[in-house]
């Protein structure tokens, strides 16, 4: 059996993967050159590579994505003469991304950016900052989307004593955009975990930002396409007490010309929210588990229905 591994692994990670697979399994690793020749004869492929490759990978029957999102495969016309099973990493990033959300909220509520700026200016700002701090325990939080990330974020914030409500697909179907606007007007913190679809594009726009309190905290860890960035910038520029934490943006990498870089109350975590030092090793554990299930002719986890 041939397996192609598209994510670039270091030597220790590659060895960790090899050691957990049977000897008859051949692993072909991408060295960063993205050489299709290594992938051509793969029966199992790991990673998110160019969809143009798939039609020429005649033996490919299983694709294990290294992401939850399937953005680069959406709209792809899969071969009709064979079945390719695709699995994503559903639930894999819920822990670290929820911690990223919490980190941004705590930084804002406990005024860490203001304190750091005072430190840079060697300014003792105790009396100015002390009574501007807020408590997450007193916050009303609205989680937009209630998948694994939303659930974990709600769990962590509830542990701090925050009042957490959610707004998901069912709520949108029942209440429409006006229902979301009303819910946003009643929260202190808005967290978006929703994916990019035709229905969610620019969903969070001027109507939502105007409904939010002027000192609200907004966090987006889903997809940048759901936010109208011009409307977000306007909110940030008009209300200095407003704070946004963006792990995702419409265009990544974010171009140097983007005004998002310039807004002092918009923080860019550059799609690192799911990261940790052990991320690749934990992903390998998932891949290995899936491969062993495949070898044992057991159903795979987290299959994606396109």
């Amino acid at each position: 059996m041939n397996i192609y591994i598209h994510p670039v692994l270091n030597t220790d990670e590659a060895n960790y993967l090899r050691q957990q697979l049977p000897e008859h399994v051949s692993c072909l690793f991408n060295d960063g050159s993205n050489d299709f020749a290594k992938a051509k004869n793969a029966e199992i492929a790991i990673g998110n590579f160019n969809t143009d490759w798939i039609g020429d990978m005649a033996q490919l029957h299983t694709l294990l994505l290294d992401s939850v999102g399937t953005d680069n495969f959406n709209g792809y016309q899969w071969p009709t003469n064979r079945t390719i099973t695709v699995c994503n990493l559903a639930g894999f990033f819920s822990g670290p991304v929820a911690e990223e959300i919490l980190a941004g909220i705590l930084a804002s509520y406990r005024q860490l950016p203001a304190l750091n700026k005072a430190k840079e200016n060697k300014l003792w700002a105790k009396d100015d900052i002390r009574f501007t701090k807020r408590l997450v325990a007193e916050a009303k939080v609205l989680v937009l989307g209630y998948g694994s990330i939303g659930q974990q974020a709600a769990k962590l914030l509830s542990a701090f004593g925050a009042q957490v409500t959610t707004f998901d697909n069912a709520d949108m179907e029942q209440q429409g955009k006006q229902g979301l606007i009303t819910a946003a007007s009643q929260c202190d913190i808005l967290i978006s975990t929703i994916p990019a679809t035709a229905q969610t594009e620019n969903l969070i726009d001027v109507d939502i930002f105007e409904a939010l309190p002027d000192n609200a905290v907004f966090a987006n860890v889903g997809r940048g396409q759901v936010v109208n960035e011009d409307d977000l910038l306007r909110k940030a520029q008009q209300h200095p007490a407003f704070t946004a934490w963006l792990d995702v943006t419409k265009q990544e990498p974010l171009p140097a010309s983007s005004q998002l870089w310039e807004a002092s109350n918009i923080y860019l975590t550059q799609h690192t929210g799911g990261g940790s030092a052990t991320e690749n090793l934990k992903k390998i554990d998932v891949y290995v588990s899936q491969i062993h299930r495949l070898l044992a002719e057991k159903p795979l986890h987290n299959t994606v229905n396109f």
Side-chain angles (χ1 to χ4, degrees):
M1 177 178 288
N2 295 321
I3 300 177
Y4 170 68
I5 301 92
H6 189 69
V8 179
L9 305 179
N10 64 35
T11 301
D12 290 340
E13 292 164 347
N15 289 337
Y16 181 70
L17 173 58
R18 278 199 194 93
Q19 290 165 4
Q20 298 183 75
L21 297 177
E23 291 185 0
H24 71 273
V25 173
S26 174
C27 294
L28 296 171
F29 294 91
N30 178 20
D31 59 4
S33 63
N34 299 333
D35 182 4
F36 172 69
K38 293 185 176 182
K40 184 174 183 178
N41 297 319
E43 297 162 72
I44 301 173
I46 296 173
N48 299 30
F49 45 82
N50 193 322
T51 54
D52 291 344
W53 288 10
I54 296 174
D56 295 321
M57 297 171 72
Q59 299 181 63
L60 180 68
H61 58 71
T62 304
L63 175 57
L64 306 177
L65 303 183
D66 64 346
S67 65
V68 176
T70 60
D71 300 26
N72 58 317
F73 294 95
N74 292 341
Y76 174 68
Q77 298 299 310
W78 295 89
T80 57
N81 60 340
R82 56 197 167 107
T83 298
I84 300 175
T85 301
V86 181
C87 303
N88 68 358
L89 290 177
F92 182 85
F93 299 104
S94 57
V97 173
E99 288 191 16
E100 192 85 359
I101 293 168
L102 187 61
I105 292 170
L106 285 172
S108 295
Y109 263 52
R110 304 311 295 163
Q111 290 284 29
L112 298 189
L115 286 164
N116 192 59
K117 184 175 181 180
K119 177 178 177 289
E120 290 176 353
N121 295 326
K122 299 180 180 178
L123 174 65
W124 188 256
K126 173 186 172 182
D127 293 339
D128 293 330
I129 292 177
R130 181 181 178 90
F131 298 105
T132 65
K133 291 192 171 192
R134 291 181 285 173
L135 300 173
V136 175
E138 298 173 353
K140 296 178 181 179
V141 181
L142 176 62
V143 179
L144 181 56
Y146 202 54
S148 60
I149 292 174
Q151 292 171 29
Q152 183 65 14
K155 178 181 177 181
L156 294 181
L157 289 162
S158 295
F160 275 78
Q163 179 183 325
V164 181
T165 58
T166 62
F167 200 95
D168 59 14
N169 284 336
D171 295 308
M172 182 61 76
E173 291 174 3
Q174 294 170 9
Q175 303 177 39
K177 179 68 173 289
Q178 187 56 51
L180 177 57
I181 293 170
T182 300
S185 71
Q186 298 169 354
C187 76
D188 305 301
I189 299 168
L190 174 61
I191 300 167
S192 175
T193 69
I194 58 177
T197 67
Q199 291 72 35
T200 62
E201 186 170 359
N202 290 322
L203 177 66
I204 305 175
D205 59 7
V206 61
D207 295 329
I208 302 298
F209 290 121
E210 285 185 351
L212 286 172
D214 294 343
N215 65 344
V217 175
F218 170 62
N220 185 16
V221 297
R223 282 295 182 267
Q225 286 72 18
V226 308
V227 177
N228 185 310
E229 293 177 346
D230 291 336
D231 294 344
L232 169 62
L233 274 164
R234 194 174 299 111
K235 177 77 172 184
Q237 291 165 350
Q238 293 177 352
H239 303 286
F242 172 81
T243 307
W245 294 84
L246 306 181
D247 196 49
V248 288
T249 52
K250 283 186 183 293
Q251 187 174 344
E252 297 180 8
L254 186 66
S257 58
S258 172
Q259 289 184 280
L260 293 175
W261 294 109
E262 308 300 328
S264 61
N265 50 346
I266 294 179
Y267 297 89
L268 305 170
T269 53
Q270 303 189 25
H271 217 140
T272 62
S276 69
T278 57
E279 177 182 352
N280 279 347
L281 294 178
K282 289 178 179 178
K283 284 182 179 180
I284 289 170
D285 288 339
V286 175
Y287 305 144
V288 168
S289 175
Q290 293 277 59
I291 292 167
H292 280 294
R293 293 186 67 84
L294 195 63
L295 293 172
E297 299 184 350
K298 294 181 179 180
L300 298 180
H301 295 305
N302 302 326
T303 55
V304 179
N305 182 1
F306 286 95

